[in-house]
Amino acid sequence: MTATAQILERDGPEAATTNAIAARAGVSIGSLYQYFSGREAIIAALAQRHVEQMRAVLSRSLAELIALPIEAAIPRLMAALVDCHRVNPTLDHVLHQVMPEDASVLDEFEDFAATIAAAAIRSHPGLAIADPELAGSTLTLAVGGVLRTTLRRWPARISDPALEQALVDLVLGFLARAGEGSKAARAQAPGHAAALLDEGPGGGQAAALKLGEGAG
Amino acid sequence: MTATAQILERDGPEAATTNAIAARAGVSIGSLYQYFSGREAIIAALAQRHVEQMRAVLSRSLAELIALPIEAAIPRLMAALVDCHRVNPTLDHVLHQVMPEDASVLDEFEDFAATIAAAAIRSHPGLAIADPELAGSTLTLAVGGVLRTTLRRWPARISDPALEQALVDLVLGFLARAGEGSKAARAQAPGHAAALLDEGPGGGQAAALKLGEGAG
Amino acid sequence: MTATAQILERDGPEAATTNAIAARAGVSIGSLYQYFSGREAIIAALAQRHVEQMRAVLSRSLAELIALPIEAAIPRLMAALVDCHRVNPTLDHVLHQVMPEDASVLDEFEDFAATIAAAAIRSHPGLAIADPELAGSTLTLAVGGVLRTTLRRWPARISDPALEQALVDLVLGFLARAGEGSKAARAQAPGHAAALLDEGPGGGQAAALKLGEGAG
Amino acid sequence: MTATAQILERDGPEAATTNAIAARAGVSIGSLYQYFSGREAIIAALAQRHVEQMRAVLSRSLAELIALPIEAAIPRLMAALVDCHRVNPTLDHVLHQVMPEDASVLDEFEDFAATIAAAAIRSHPGLAIADPELAGSTLTLAVGGVLRTTLRRWPARISDPALEQALVDLVLGFLARAGEGSKAARAQAPGHAAALLDEGPGGGQAAALKLGEGAG
DNA sequence: GATGAATGAGATTTCATTCAT
DNA sequence: CATGAATGAAATCTCATTCAT
């Protein structure tokens, strides 16, 4: 199983044949089939273990977060999520490629994170988030998307504090904005953030999304 | 190629054998190898076409967005991104599974979107985003992550206006928050959103991770 | 061994792996190899036991038959043979599939039956059978063929009294006819049965293969 | 397929692996799977061909038999059946071992022969056979049993005219006896054959089936 | 150019048998 | 003796690719 992980990481899914796995594990192919019912089962077990590891890392961090104020908690939560995905990013990506799309164990982690996020949001009615489930899910998927793609394409960047800050801004910004949105009709009275955004240096039309032009 | 797409969508990557592709395309396997150098090339070409389609859909929408103020532009941009990913979500997902992780054509779309996002951000100095590239990339990956996972796991939800609103909140919230962050050190003078979130009325227990205890 | 029989009966030859046999027998695979030299030996022993059981059933019936006149004995002998094959028809058939064609223990039963039949025939010189060995063998194989195929294809039919009667007719008819044949040259003076069958009333068309046109 | 037959004949069922078949046929394993869906299909096709060959041989002989009187027809029919089974006795036996017991193509031949036999019997009402189907089936299975076992165990004996005569006696004897049986209650008035059998040289008790004693 | 039969390396899986404990 | 984990030869089948027609 660790053998499987190594092969998947180093050489990709195609290389993870039962023979290769057995060889790297240092056992005979026959032994492999005494412990696993087949290739799929091996990978499923590996995915399960991977998800459990990620969940463990996240859970450990959650314990420390409970006692923090939100502005301090979110940054550390983001750091925790980064750590989660650092458990084994390559494997994580390959598993996402390899697992059948339905009933994937990997989704468990996202579900877990989304559930926690929703619960946290719901426990703070002051945030005035109308649909905590949607908010939790959105934030989870958004952060997950950033982290997984970053790890796949620019692994070094994962340690960049600016990235972590961006994630914090993503989450806190969303919570602020989504909360406002519930309180006041955006169309009628633009909220704080909206107000901030509306006036650029260049007047009304300067506020438009001018693609391709440099800073006005 | 359309044949390949159909098979990938309907029956998954395993079913897309060269023979199956040739059969559905109504050509002989021999002819296939006159147009493509091999199986990988077929899929790569398909991915290329897929990315171009998505890019085309996005570009078309961008044209309409240029003249809009940002608060109006972002919602329509999000709608455009949703449309992009609706071009062929199943194929999109299967291609992400099938393509080798390095040098994937699929990344081109994300790069394209990130570049546009960065340009747009830079064109609004009023947003006061310190690192437009990072911001553009973050937003792109975040929105992409939400959309792709949603399409894979709960395809029907993609039409939910609440999801689109959540994406808008994600982007505008991030821009507001990230912009603030550049102007003032958050630790010293919490910005609007931070103020909203920061201090609960209850002192001690305000230190807890109770997101909702913010200012009513 | 009983375990082997059960598996062979229930699930066929393919299911009778050494591991399955050991499992059902409630012993370890290692122990199996202390009692038997290998898979073949297990099946051979099972076949041996099976043949002995059939032989025992037949022998028991033979004892009662000794004192009977032949016309009464043959029906009861046929009933006995039916009983023999009812010992375990499924196993019987599977063993015939599984055993190597050479040196099959299963042939012992047929040899046994043929020997007895030949002896019985020889002990009745009045039957006037020229070659008792051939006659015994022929009858044994004929009856065996009927019984085994019937059991394999239409197991329920084995209890049909009409089948038993047919077997009796087969044997007694053969004995009558084969006996006649030894006494008189059939071509010159047709025997009883021949007379019955020979000339139809109709001359010319009597030459056709119309079995029923015999003497009314 | 001829390759398969050769291997089955020479080396038995275990040797007929797909690789061995392909090798002997002089084609690659891949080609084998372009013509047959798998090992089972190859053997099934072989069995089909074998049955057709046997059926053809029998049919050819039947044409000549139609014009003969029954006493002449039966011997030639038996010769024809012998020829049938001489088509490829070893293969015939191996196929009977190898084919799955249900829905075996091999049964088609027996069904064919049994149907013909039943039809012939029914077309001769003078034979007074109460159940032509049973009689046809019984005779077919009986003769088949004799022939197949003889071919398997004592192949040379198949050319012995005495064996053929024994088969003729089996059939004609059965027909005579089964016909009588329908006309007169055997118990009340023993038929011709029975009468013949009853009196041995040694009086009443001499008629008993004295097993193991030599000829009185 | 088009065709598609042929190829064969290689993948997955089974199972009789062994042997250290 | 009993055990059962380990073994690995061998079987079936797939599929990307080639090449003679």
Side-chain angles (χ1 to χ4, degrees), chain B residues 42-191:
Chain B
I42 299 172
I43 292 176
L46 175 61
Q48 189 80 57
R49 194 182 71 172
H50 174 67
V51 162
E52 270 157 23
Q53 285 177 353
M54 289 185 73
R55 204 138 68 170
V57 170
L58 185 55
S59 298
R60 216 171 298 140
S61 302
L62 287 180
E64 305 167 2
L65 293 178
I66 290 181
L68 294 178
I70 196 151
E71 279 266 321
I74 294 296
R76 299 187 66 164
L77 180 61
M78 291 303 109
L81 283 171
V82 167
D83 282 346
C84 272
H85 285 85
R86 274 216 271 212
V87 160
N88 199 332
T90 312
L91 178 61
D92 192 73
H93 176 237
V94 176
L95 284 174
H96 272 273
Q97 284 185 299
V98 153
M99 297 291 293
E101 55 263 52
D102 53 329
S104 174
V105 208
L106 298 170
D107 294 333
E108 283 180 21
F109 178 78
E110 267 171 2
D111 291 344
F112 172 72
T115 304
I116 287 177
I121 289 167
R122 194 180 290 106
S123 78
H124 288 265
L127 287 174
I129 302 284
D131 184 344
E133 268 66 39
L134 177 60
S137 178
T138 301
L139 285 175
T140 301
L141 300 186
V143 172
V146 173
L147 288 177
R148 282 213 307 272
T149 306
T150 301
L151 281 163
R152 175 170 67 85
R153 298 189 59 190
W154 316 281
R157 196 180 291 181
I158 203 69
S159 308
D160 186 353
L163 175 66
E164 223 167 283
Q165 182 57 49
L167 291 175
V168 170
D169 291 340
L170 200 63
V171 173
L172 290 182
F174 171 80
L175 290 175
R177 166 106 200 166
E180 285 173 38
S182 319
K183 286 183 207 157
R186 242 171 311 265
Q188 295 162 4

Side-chain angles (χ1 to χ4, degrees), chain C residues 126-199:
Chain C
L127 288 173
I129 303 284
D131 186 343
E133 266 68 38
L134 176 61
S137 177
T138 302
L139 285 175
T140 300
L141 300 185
V143 172
V146 173
L147 288 178
R148 283 211 306 269
T149 307
T150 300
L151 281 162
R152 174 170 68 85
R153 299 189 59 191
W154 313 283
R157 195 181 291 181
I158 203 68
S159 307
D160 186 353
L163 175 67
E164 224 168 283
Q165 182 58 49
L167 291 175
V168 170
D169 291 340
L170 200 65
V171 172
L172 290 183
F174 172 80
L175 290 175
R177 166 107 199 164
E180 284 173 39
S182 320
K183 284 184 206 154
R186 241 168 315 262
Q188 295 163 2
H192 296 245
L196 180 69
L197 290 164
D198 223 1
E199 54 233 332

Side-chain angles (χ1 to χ4, degrees), chain C residues 30-53:
Chain C
S31 296
L32 213 63
Y33 277 83
Q34 260 162 357
Y35 299 129
F36 299 99
S37 66
R39 187 180 186 266
E40 301 245 305
I42 298 172
I43 293 176
L46 175 60
Q48 188 80 56
R49 194 182 72 171
H50 174 66
V51 162
E52 270 157 22
Q53 284 176 352

Side-chain angles (χ1 to χ4, degrees), chain A residues 10-46:
Chain A
R10 279 204 242 276
D11 308 313
E14 318 248 285
T17 69
T18 49
N19 283 307
I21 293 169
R24 182 169 298 240
V27 301
S28 70
I29 181 65
S31 294
L32 212 64
Y33 279 86
Q34 269 183 339
Y35 298 122
F36 299 100
S37 64
R39 186 183 186 269
E40 300 248 303
I42 298 172
I43 293 177
L46 177 60

Side-chain angles (χ1 to χ4, degrees), chain A residues 6-216:
Chain A
Q6 286 173 3
I7 297 172
L8 283 175
E9 286 170 54
R10 279 204 242 276
D11 308 313
E14 318 248 285
T17 69
T18 49
N19 283 307
I21 293 169
R24 182 169 298 240
V27 301
S28 70
I29 181 65
S31 294
L32 212 64
Y33 279 86
Q34 269 183 339
Y35 298 122
F36 299 100
S37 64
R39 186 183 186 269
E40 300 248 303
I42 298 172
I43 293 177
L46 177 60
Q48 187 79 55
R49 194 182 69 172
H50 174 66
V51 163
E52 269 157 23
Q53 285 176 353
M54 289 185 73
R55 203 138 70 170
V57 170
L58 184 56
S59 299
R60 217 170 298 138
S61 301
L62 285 179
E64 304 167 2
L65 291 178
I66 290 179
L68 293 179
I70 187 112
E71 281 264 322
I74 294 295
R76 300 188 65 164
L77 179 61
M78 291 304 109
L81 282 172
V82 168
D83 284 345
C84 272
H85 285 84
R86 273 216 271 212
V87 160
N88 199 333
T90 313
L91 178 61
D92 191 73
H93 176 239
V94 176
L95 285 175
H96 271 273
Q97 284 185 301
V98 152
M99 295 292 292
E101 54 264 49
D102 54 328
S104 172
V105 210
L106 298 172
D107 294 332
E108 280 181 23
F109 178 76
E110 269 171 1
D111 291 342
F112 172 70
T115 302
I116 286 177
I121 290 167
R122 193 182 291 104
S123 77
H124 290 262
L127 282 173
I129 303 283
D131 186 343
E133 265 69 38
L134 177 60
S137 178
T138 302
L139 285 175
T140 301
L141 299 186
V143 173
V146 174
L147 288 177
R148 282 213 305 270
T149 307
T150 301
L151 281 162
R152 174 168 67 84
R153 300 190 58 192
W154 315 283
R157 195 181 292 180
I158 203 67
S159 308
D160 185 353
L163 175 66
E164 221 166 285
Q165 182 57 50
L167 291 175
V168 170
D169 291 340
L170 201 63
V171 172
L172 290 182
F174 172 80
L175 290 175
R177 166 108 198 162
E180 285 174 38
S182 320
K183 285 181 210 156
R186 240 169 315 261
Q188 295 162 6
H192 298 243
L196 178 71
L197 287 167
D198 258 347
E199 53 237 338
Q205 99 284 15
L209 182 60
K210 293 187 184 158
L211 298 169
E213 296 182 20

Side-chain angles (χ1 to χ4, degrees), chain C residues 9 50 53-54 57-58 78-92 109 147-148 150-151 154-161 163-164:
Chain C
E9 287 170 57
H50 174 66
Q53 284 176 352
M54 289 186 73
V57 170
L58 185 57
M78 292 303 109
L81 283 170
V82 167
D83 283 346
C84 272
H85 285 86
R86 274 215 270 212
V87 160
N88 200 333
T90 312
L91 179 61
D92 192 73
F109 178 76
L147 288 178
R148 283 211 306 269
T150 300
L151 281 162
W154 313 283
R157 195 181 291 181
I158 203 68
S159 307
D160 186 353
L163 175 67
E164 224 168 283

Side-chain angles (χ1 to χ4, degrees), chain C residues 12-14 40 62-63 65-71 73-74 77 90 93-102 104 107-108 110-111 116-117 119-127 131 133-135 137-139 141-150 152-154 157 160 162-163 165-181 183 186 190 192-198 206-216, chain D residues 8-9 12-14 40 62 65-71 73-74 90 93-94 96-102 104 107-108 110-111 117 120-121 123-128 131 134 137-139 141-150 152-154 157 160 162-163 165-181 183 186 190 192-201 204-216:
Chain C
E14 319 248 283
E40 301 245 305
L62 287 179
L65 293 178
I66 290 180
L68 293 178
I70 197 150
E71 280 264 321
I74 294 296
L77 179 61
T90 312
H93 176 237
V94 176
L95 285 174
H96 272 271
Q97 283 185 298
V98 154
M99 296 292 292
E101 55 263 51
D102 54 328
S104 172
D107 294 332
E108 282 180 20
E110 268 171 1
D111 291 344
I116 287 178
I121 289 167
R122 194 180 291 107
S123 78
H124 288 264
L127 288 173
D131 186 343
E133 266 68 38
L134 176 61
S137 177
T138 302
L139 285 175
L141 300 185
V143 172
V146 173
L147 288 178
R148 283 211 306 269
T149 307
T150 300
R152 174 170 68 85
R153 299 189 59 191
W154 313 283
R157 195 181 291 181
D160 186 353
L163 175 67
Q165 182 58 49
L167 291 175
V168 170
D169 291 340
L170 200 65
V171 172
L172 290 183
F174 172 80
L175 290 175
R177 166 107 199 164
E180 284 173 39
K183 284 184 206 154
R186 241 168 315 262
H192 296 245
L196 180 69
L197 290 164
D198 223 1
L209 179 63
K210 292 187 178 163
L211 297 174
E213 304 274 330
Chain D
L8 283 175
E9 287 169 53
E14 318 247 286
E40 298 247 305
L62 285 179
L65 293 178
I66 290 179
L68 294 178
I70 186 117
E71 280 266 319
I74 295 296
T90 313
H93 176 239
V94 176
H96 271 273
Q97 283 185 301
V98 153
M99 296 291 292
E101 54 264 46
D102 54 329
S104 171
D107 294 334
E108 280 181 23
E110 268 170 1
D111 291 343
I121 290 168
S123 77
H124 289 262
L127 282 174
D131 186 342
L134 177 60
S137 178
T138 302
L139 286 175
L141 300 185
V143 172
V146 173
L147 288 177
R148 283 212 307 269
T149 308
T150 300
R152 175 170 65 86
R153 299 189 60 191
W154 314 282
R157 196 182 291 182
D160 185 353
L163 175 66
Q165 182 56 48
L167 291 175
V168 170
D169 292 340
L170 201 62
V171 173
L172 290 182
F174 172 79
L175 291 175
R177 165 109 198 160
E180 282 174 41
K183 285 183 212 156
R186 244 170 311 263
H192 298 242
L196 179 71
L197 286 166
D198 258 345
E199 53 235 338
Q205 100 285 11
L209 182 59
K210 293 185 182 160
L211 300 168
E213 295 184 19

